[in-house]
Amino acid sequence: MSIDKVLAEILENGLGPAYQEEIRKRYQCDTAEGLFEPEEREYDAGIAALAQTLSPEKMSKLTEYEKTCSSIREYAAKYGFLAGLYSGFKQFFTLKHEPDGGFSKHVSDEIHKMHQMMRHREYYAKIEHRNQLAEALEAEVGCENQYHLVSVACAWEQRAHSASIDGFFLGYHAAVAILVEVDPSSFPGLQMEGNILCMEHQLGFIRKRED
């Protein structure tokens, strides 16, 4: 087996279903604590309203839209982890400190904004497909259901963004854990303590604990 295939298999196993389930659980916990309660409340209301008014054919299109959104979230979670891993190592070895750990530069600007997201070809193709489905649904659901459709879209946008943040957080801490395992005498956790706390504060983790 080639090196590329071996590495792809390692990544798939490490960032596969179990990892994605952990990301979903983290979002659910945040929602239960009220962090994303408005978005999810409007989502539930939107789905319920659309289910009552859309034809089976249109509901099938909505289901496809949601599956595409879920796939986008999974990519955001996976890429967020890799970017967090990279950023953790980068901050340790170069001593260059970014308040949010590098999230804005390596994640937000990369996969949540144009035009950098276009380099992530499969991911960008899914975004285009999602947008095409959204446009088709907007033209079909009628004015009275536009708000519900927007509510569904906003919830999925929040889910994807949150997945990238949680992924980045886990990846960053994975880098620190690897450094501790391989070179404990350099005390990486202690050296990076200030950076870690700053990153967690900027990304909202410390605030959430305080709340």
Side-chain angles (χ1 to χ4, degrees):
M1 187 180 293
S2 70
I3 293 176
D4 288 344
K5 288 184 178 180
V6 170
L7 293 177
E9 189 173 299
I10 291 172
L11 286 175
E12 181 59 33
N13 290 335
L15 302 178
Y19 169 74
Q20 296 293 344
E21 180 60 24
E22 174 62 24
I23 292 295
R24 287 191 289 270
K25 285 181 179 178
R26 285 172 172 268
Y27 183 84
Q28 290 166 2
C29 287
D30 287 338
T31 301
E33 293 174 1
L35 195 59
F36 306 122
E37 191 274 334
E39 291 91 340
E40 291 302 315
R41 183 181 65 248
E42 292 297 316
Y43 168 83
D44 290 339
I47 287 293
L50 291 170
Q52 290 179 353
T53 58
L54 296 185
S55 66
E57 182 182 354
K58 291 176 182 177
M59 278 302 298
S60 176
K61 191 171 294 184
L62 179 61
T63 299
E64 184 181 356
Y65 172 85
E66 291 211 276
K67 286 182 179 179
T68 305
C69 288
S70 180
S71 181
I72 289 169
R73 176 174 63 178
E74 289 182 0
Y75 185 90
K78 184 182 295 186
Y79 184 80
F81 183 93
L82 297 177
L85 192 68
Y86 168 83
S87 297
F89 286 131
K90 178 184 177 183
Q91 290 203 357
F92 179 75
F93 288 112
T94 67
L95 301 180
K96 292 181 178 179
H97 171 60
E98 296 169 281
D100 64 358
F103 177 82
S104 295
K105 179 179 180 180
H106 300 300
V107 180
S108 186
D109 289 349
E110 271 288 322
I111 64 171
H112 296 308
K113 297 179 182 178
M114 293 291 285
H115 293 279
Q116 280 297 100
M117 68 166 62
M118 294 177 70
R119 82 175 184 88
H120 304 264
R121 294 182 180 179
E122 291 186 16
Y123 170 75
Y124 184 66
K126 291 173 183 177
I127 289 178
E128 286 194 311
H129 183 55
R130 178 203 64 187
N131 293 344
Q132 290 168 0
L133 289 168
E135 288 178 5
L137 284 165
E138 287 172 5
E140 295 174 358
V141 298
C143 296
E144 67 278 8
N145 285 315
Q146 292 294 327
Y147 176 83
H148 298 308
L149 199 58
V150 170
S151 296
V152 172
C154 287
W156 277 110
E157 286 285 354
Q158 183 60 65
R159 292 170 185 177
H161 188 259
S162 296
S164 67
I165 292 177
D166 285 331
F168 183 88
F169 172 85
L170 292 171
Y172 193 102
H173 279 281
V176 177
I178 291 170
L179 290 166
V180 170
E181 180 68 22
V182 175
D183 188 15
S185 62
S186 66
F187 301 104
L190 185 61
Q191 284 192 46
M192 298 177 69
E193 183 177 18
N195 289 357
I196 293 170
L197 290 173
C198 188
M199 177 270 291
E200 292 182 345
H201 176 71
Q202 289 288 322
L203 297 184
F205 290 97
I206 291 178
R207 177 187 58 78
K208 282 187 283 186
R209 295 192 192 113
E210 290 174 348
D211 291 344

